[in-house]
Amino acid sequence: MTNHLIFSNDCPQIDWADIDQFNCDFGPKAASLLALPRVWTPEFVVISHQYIDSFESFDRLLHALSSNELAKLIRLSERTGGIYVRSSVLNESIWDRGTYDSVPFDFDSHVESRKNFIDKISAAASTVLGSAGGKKIALVLQSRIYPIAYGEFGNLLRISKTRDHWELSFGDSTPMNELRFNTQRDVASDPSLPLEIESGVPSQRRFAGIAAWLNNDLLRGKSHRVNCEWVADKEKIHLVQLDIEDEDFLGVNPYQLRIPPFHQPVSAEGHFLSCASLENVGMWDKLVVLNELWEEDSSVKPTLFFVPLANLPETGDAEGLTSLQEDFQQLIGPDNIVIRTSVRANEEKLPNLRRTDGVIPKDAATWCLETRDEIKEQYGDASGFAFVVHRFIAARAAAWVRCEKDNPVVEIHSLWGLPDALQYCPYDIWEVHLPTEVATEFPDYKSHMLIPKVDGEWEYVRVKNELGRSLSIGRREAMDLAKRSAIIADKLGKSCHIMWFVGCVQADGTNFNVPWYWTDAHEAEKNPDRSNYQRYPIKCEGDLNSFQNLEDRNRYALELVPTDQRLMRDISFIEEVGNVALEHSIPILLAGSTLAHAYFVLRRKGCTVVARGEKEHTRVRKNNFFGKIVRDGIPSKIEKRKEVGTTLKIPSEIKKRFLSSKLLEEALEVRYAENAEEKAVELADLYEVFRGLAKAEGVSLRKITKTANEKKKKSGGFEDGVVLLQTGIQASGKPTPEEGGKRFAEILARKTSASTVELPFTFFGFMDIDSPRTVYFEDVEIRLEITLKGDRLVMQVSRDAEQLELPLDQDVVKLDDS
């Protein structure tokens, strides 16, 4: 054995702190395998890139091995009947997964010769080495497990912000309902024992112990996230690969992108291009939006130009082409010209018509003529179309907003970058209840964004990994989009979807949002069945043909994940995907928004579309449960806010009990009022409850006041702040307890037996709202966590010895804190 050829059975498990040193020679995949318990992995050997590079071919490397080393390699294959040759490229990141080849082969030493073994392993290694494209690469030669099940599990940032949340999947085509599990309370698996499969144990719990060991033993004190590939035979689970997700230095920070100021061209007329005006704005669907989406006096309403396709110069008219080019140069500018295709305003809106990125005048003129000819060929006549032209509008984020008639809840789908990415990218969801201005967010992991390059073309770039789950728009922006969209929907008199550019910048640096386009609202698929399908990714047109060649197509869902984002604007491609799905009665899995064009096209064809961004269950839209008595006018107020309120009128005797508890709730609100004015309001509420209780009990306020004065004269009021700690009969010869001798913890919680704790009403006066306090019962090893809310008490029982504890002899509140 040399330092550049390490057999797993001859090398102890390395410490994670040493992994960087091994990375330099063996690459991250090989180094991470060396850090795993030997009984958890198939037997393997790793070969350094220096050793591989020192030979002209892998065949020569094998012939240079000693007879003992070659015998060990053959025994590696004899264990299971084959070997898996895996790449381990230096500096490979988790974003490179799937880039480099891994090649398996079978070998039976009882039938085949040593030469056959060398030939097979040389061919496999050559393929793997060639996939590195000249990069430095090490190899992992691993005993091949022939699995009955296989898959992955990981706690990557795209799964959760916390390292304790993991996702488990099975097979190449991952089931659409990946299993999520939390390992916070799982015991780490024993690294000295194999990962045996226990019958009756749920799948996620089998992997939770492994995950707990990875988090708490292998990666303790590290920020790393991991993704593990596993295979299972009839008896054990084997870890075959571990990929590391580390700090991301390559991704884009959406918050740090410079957004160029909004540029407004001057209204003018050209040879062919005309400026949208009151006279012609109602002619074309992408012009009429200027009236539908904007107030007439808005200072940031975009300046749009247009040209009917019938008015364009003929193909081959050099002079006309030059004049058209001059129009673009003089009216729009030298670059960042965007051209979109429009239909007549009163006709059906056609989604995903052709458009450009940001182009220069020469390319803009050529594109217009070529696209005009294509439309003529496709539709037979181009007279029903026009090109709408404008200066590129830069924005930090984009959104589709759904407004329904008579529905106070507005739904927003948003992501960073340009709106086109909403066709195929994951997105955040906001739900805004307009009457109450309650905004609820549902963030998703957004790995990429669509941004313009310097030359005007649009580029699909990766987002900095640790920002993937951050919200693309904030609450203030969500409220602005929701309110303005509701006004637009009311103006249109119909339910609609509205596209927005979010976070545009004016010349003075202030931000504003631009409504850009709208379509009639369409229904999203309700609670689709995701549980019994496997994904078949459609990355390009060829994948549809490959799918058609499968023998069993009925248990699949077509997942739209185009490598070229322009395919999501190609109507013929989208419709062909829909045709295949309909032919085999299978759903389509879409990462993009249900409000975007691709979803609309597929649903219009009658396809079942499962949007990954949609929650599998119906979202609860800010339902609150109270069970408390309220003022008599509250139900009408709830109705005016367009909320649904459930009330119940109660008998007099029960009302007294509700009012008694209401006194406590209002007293707590007095305590948390921040100034004299707020305290006066809360004391008034307290007084109103008091008056209500007095009336319910049939006692007059005059009698209460008289009785209160008599009691004050007899025993005093509460001005001096005297706290009674304890009473008792003093024994002879015993000293009197000193005032203040007891701790305030004993005022709040007094343990009277091994299983009993008393909480006096003083507890509610001292305890902070939403600050849990825990009492531990040692004899039964149970913790009771008590949390005071504004109108209720929340209690949670657990046996988790790792949770925080508040011993009864610990000071909870000091007198001067009250």
Side-chain angles (χ1 to χ4, degrees):
M1 186 182 74
T2 71
N3 289 332
H4 296 295
L5 190 70
I6 300 179
F7 288 86
S8 58
N9 288 354
D10 297 335
C11 173
Q13 176 187 342
I14 68 171
D15 191 272
W16 194 258
D18 299 326
I19 198 167
D20 287 342
Q21 175 185 343
F22 282 84
N23 277 342
C24 297
D25 297 327
F26 298 99
K29 287 182 183 176
S32 59
L33 269 178
L34 290 169
L36 293 176
R38 293 292 173 264
V39 292
W40 290 8
T41 68
E43 189 178 346
F44 64 90
V45 58
V46 295
I47 308 175
S48 73
H49 77 91
Q50 296 100 326
Y51 196 56
I52 294 171
D53 292 345
S54 64
F55 295 91
E56 293 180 8
S57 66
F58 197 79
D59 181 83
R60 288 184 177 273
L61 182 152
L62 291 174
H63 282 93
L65 296 178
S66 68
S67 58
N68 183 43
E69 289 170 336
L70 189 57
K72 284 184 179 181
L73 271 182
I74 294 175
R75 283 199 296 273
L76 201 69
S77 68
E78 289 175 337
R79 305 258 186 224
T80 59
I83 282 182
Y84 226 114
V85 182
R86 299 181 181 274
S87 62
S88 185
V89 177
L90 270 65
N91 300 318
E92 180 180 358
S93 76
I94 198 163
W95 296 95
D96 298 317
R97 291 191 67 215
T99 304
Y100 311 109
D101 290 340
S102 294
V103 179
F105 68 88
D106 302 325
F107 180 74
D108 186 349
S109 60
H110 298 292
V111 177
E112 300 180 83
S113 66
R114 178 173 291 196
K115 181 181 184 304
N116 286 342
F117 176 79
I118 292 177
D119 290 343
K120 283 188 173 183
I121 198 170
S122 295
S126 297
T127 299
V128 174
L129 294 172
S131 70
K135 295 181 179 178
K136 294 184 180 300
I137 178 174
L139 290 180
V140 178
L141 311 181
Q142 197 174 63
S143 287
R144 184 182 181 186
I145 304 294
Y146 295 81
I148 60 171
Y150 62 100
E152 303 177 13
F153 68 101
N155 65 346
L156 306 179
L157 271 166
R158 69 168 179 80
I159 295 169
S160 173
K161 283 189 174 182
T162 65
R163 296 171 72 238
D164 291 319
H165 284 89
W166 294 69
E167 183 177 88
L168 171 65
S169 60
F170 298 83
D172 284 334
S173 297
T174 307
M176 293 163 66
N177 61 332
E178 297 96 340
L179 296 174
R180 298 288 184 103
F181 58 95
N182 190 314
T183 63
Q184 199 169 26
R185 300 184 179 183
D186 287 281
V187 177
S189 299
D190 188 339
S192 67
L193 299 176
L195 301 171
E196 295 181 348
I197 297 176
E198 302 176 53
S199 61
V201 178
S203 297
Q204 57 267 45
R205 296 273 67 86
R206 294 175 185 170
F207 290 88
I210 309 172
W213 181 86
L214 291 169
N215 264 350
N216 300 320
D217 290 82
L218 184 67
L219 303 175
R220 181 191 291 271
K222 303 293 183 182
S223 62
H224 298 137
R225 306 292 189 96
V226 294
N227 192 78
C228 302
E229 294 184 19
W230 60 272
V231 297
D233 52 28
K234 292 181 179 180
E235 298 176 351
K236 294 182 290 187
I237 296 170
H238 309 267
L239 304 187
V240 296
Q241 184 171 308
L242 184 103
D243 292 296
I244 306 163
E245 183 179 66
D246 209 340
E247 187 175 359
D248 186 0
F249 297 104
L250 299 177
V252 170
N253 185 335
Y255 302 109
Q256 295 176 347
L257 288 175
R258 191 184 75 83
I259 307 301
F262 179 66
H263 174 75
Q264 191 75 286
V266 177
S267 300
E269 297 295 317
H271 301 286
F272 297 98
L273 296 185
S274 300
C275 184
S277 63
L278 290 175
E279 292 75 27
N280 54 41
V281 74
M283 296 171 59
W284 305 100
D285 73 326
K286 289 183 173 64
L287 293 184
V288 75
V289 294
L290 291 174
N291 287 341
E292 295 169 330
L293 305 182
W294 290 92
E295 297 298 328
E296 186 177 344
D297 58 350
S298 174
S299 62
V300 290
K301 182 193 293 188
T303 300
L304 301 182
F305 296 85
F306 74 100
V307 54
L309 270 59
N311 294 355
L312 287 169
E314 292 298 322
T315 302
D317 180 356
E319 184 177 345
L321 182 64
T322 301
S323 297
L324 182 58
Q325 182 176 325
E326 289 174 358
D327 280 3
F328 286 118
Q329 176 75 38
Q330 294 170 7
L331 299 180
I332 314 299
D335 55 16
N336 265 331
I337 300 166
V338 177
I339 311 170
R340 298 182 297 145
T341 307
S342 180
V343 299
R344 292 195 183 277
N346 296 324
E347 297 181 4
E348 181 185 0
K349 295 185 178 186
L350 301 176
N352 286 353
L353 290 170
R354 291 198 62 186
R355 60 111 182 102
T356 69
D357 296 345
V359 295
I360 61 176
K362 179 181 178 181
D363 294 339
T366 302
W367 183 91
C368 284
L369 299 188
E370 291 177 351
T371 305
R372 185 268 316 275
D373 293 343
E374 292 175 5
I375 290 175
K376 269 186 177 181
E377 183 177 349
Q378 181 177 357
Y379 294 95
D381 180 16
S383 61
F385 297 86
F387 291 134
V388 172
V389 185
H390 59 89
R391 185 79 171 168
F392 172 76
I393 300 175
R396 186 170 308 283
W400 272 103
V401 181
R402 178 187 181 91
C403 287
E404 297 176 339
K405 290 183 68 176
D406 303 322
N407 187 347
V409 177
V410 175
E411 183 172 342
I412 303 171
H413 295 180
S414 66
L415 45 59
W416 291 297
L418 301 174
D420 264 44
L422 279 163
Q423 303 273 11
Y424 52 91
C425 285
Y427 50 88
D428 301 321
I429 298 175
W430 280 87
E431 288 182 341
V432 179
H433 186 259
L434 288 172
T436 59
E437 296 192 358
V438 171
T440 307
E441 71 273 14
F442 302 89
D444 199 356
Y445 180 82
K446 302 169 292 299
S447 61
H448 289 73
M449 65 186 296
L450 189 64
I451 63 173
K453 296 194 294 186
V454 176
D455 62 4
E457 289 190 8
W458 296 357
E459 182 182 18
Y460 194 44
V461 298
R462 181 157 59 83
V463 172
K464 200 171 178 63
N465 198 34
E466 54 267 32
L467 296 175
R469 283 194 171 271
S470 300
L471 285 165
S472 49
I473 66 173
R475 185 184 183 279
R476 183 175 62 179
E477 292 166 324
M479 289 302 304
D480 180 64
L481 300 187
K483 290 178 180 179
R484 291 171 64 189
S485 294
I487 293 172
I488 291 169
D490 185 63
K491 183 178 179 180
L492 295 171
K494 59 174 64 181
S495 299
C496 58
H497 299 167
I498 304 169
M499 179 195 289
W500 289 80
F501 290 91
V502 184
C504 303
V505 179
Q506 296 193 72
D508 62 1
T510 56
N511 292 338
F512 67 101
N513 305 318
V514 175
W516 192 242
Y517 188 66
W518 73 271
T519 64
D520 291 317
H522 52 265
E523 289 295 325
E525 192 78 10
K526 300 298 183 183
N527 296 320
D529 176 17
R530 304 177 181 207
S531 59
N532 297 317
Y533 293 97
Q534 292 182 314
R535 302 173 186 165
Y536 192 92
I538 305 298
K539 300 180 180 179
C540 61
E541 294 157 294
D543 290 336
L544 280 175
N545 296 327
S546 300
F547 176 77
Q548 295 281 48
N549 294 328
L550 290 179
E551 291 184 6
D552 181 13
R553 295 180 288 264
N554 294 331
R555 303 315 303 163
Y556 281 95
L558 299 180
E559 182 183 25
L560 272 173
V561 283
T563 306
D564 183 352
Q565 56 92 9
R566 287 173 294 187
L567 282 176
M568 293 303 286
R569 294 191 60 86
D570 186 336
I571 291 288
S572 60
F573 170 70
I574 297 296
E575 290 190 335
E576 183 58 29
V577 172
N579 291 336
V580 173
L582 289 173
E583 179 186 350
H584 301 290
S585 301
I586 59 176
I588 298 170
L589 181 61
L590 185 68
S593 168
T594 57
L595 306 183
H597 294 318
Y599 183 90
F600 178 78
V601 172
L602 293 168
R603 289 287 291 137
R604 189 171 58 182
K605 287 187 69 68
C607 298
T608 297
V609 185
V610 181
R612 293 193 64 195
E614 295 296 293
K615 295 187 180 298
E616 294 185 33
H617 53 82
T618 301
R619 287 190 295 277
V620 176
R621 300 180 189 271
K622 204 65 179 180
N623 280 354
N624 293 313
F625 299 92
F626 296 98
K628 63 181 181 180
I629 197 167
V630 296
R631 289 179 180 266
D632 299 336
I634 293 299
S636 62
K637 285 189 173 184
I638 292 173
E639 186 177 353
K640 287 179 181 178
R641 294 200 307 260
K642 295 186 178 180
E643 286 187 282
V644 178
T646 304
T647 59
L648 174 68
K649 288 204 172 183
I650 52 178
S652 178
E653 285 302 314
I654 298 178
K655 181 171 68 174
K656 295 175 187 178
R657 300 176 188 179
F658 272 103
L659 286 169
S660 298
S661 63
K662 189 73 172 179
L663 280 172
L664 181 58
E665 177 190 337
E666 297 298 346
L668 286 172
E669 292 188 6
V670 173
R671 176 189 165 194
Y672 284 96
E674 295 183 352
N675 51 54
E677 184 177 346
E678 289 183 7
K679 287 187 182 296
V681 171
E682 301 302 342
L683 283 167
D685 288 341
L686 181 63
Y687 183 62
E688 188 59 45
V689 177
F690 168 74
R691 285 201 300 193
L693 183 58
K695 186 175 181 179
E697 294 287 358
V699 181
S700 70
L701 293 178
R702 179 178 294 181
K703 183 173 183 180
I704 293 172
T705 303
K706 179 182 177 183
T707 305
N709 289 335
E710 291 173 353
K711 291 192 72 171
K712 183 174 181 180
K713 186 175 181 180
K714 181 179 179 181
S715 302
F718 296 96
E719 287 87 356
D720 294 342
V722 178
V723 176
L724 179 63
L725 298 178
Q726 70 179 65
T727 62
I729 300 175
Q730 184 178 352
S732 178
K734 296 290 185 179
T736 302
E738 295 182 8
E739 186 177 350
K742 281 184 173 288
R743 301 186 178 187
F744 278 90
E746 294 179 80
I747 295 175
L748 301 189
R750 185 166 70 91
K751 196 168 185 179
T752 58
S753 72
S755 60
T756 306
V757 169
E758 292 182 352
L759 297 176
F761 289 118
T762 313
F763 170 87
F764 301 102
F766 279 104
M767 187 174 180
D768 289 329
I769 288 179
D770 293 328
S771 295
R773 292 289 184 264
T774 306
V775 178
Y776 183 44
F777 299 94
E778 295 91 344
D779 292 0
V780 289
E781 296 184 349
I782 288 179
R783 294 171 184 275
L784 176 64
E785 183 180 85
I786 306 167
T787 306
L788 180 65
K789 298 288 184 178
D791 59 354
R792 64 193 182 279
L793 199 63
V794 177
M795 290 176 283
Q796 182 177 2
V797 176
S798 71
R799 293 183 181 273
D800 185 4
E802 298 298 322
Q803 289 185 350
L804 295 176
E805 176 185 351
L806 179 69
L808 289 178
D809 61 351
Q810 176 180 328
D811 286 352
V812 178
V813 180
K814 296 181 180 178
L815 185 60
D816 57 3
D817 289 335
S818 63

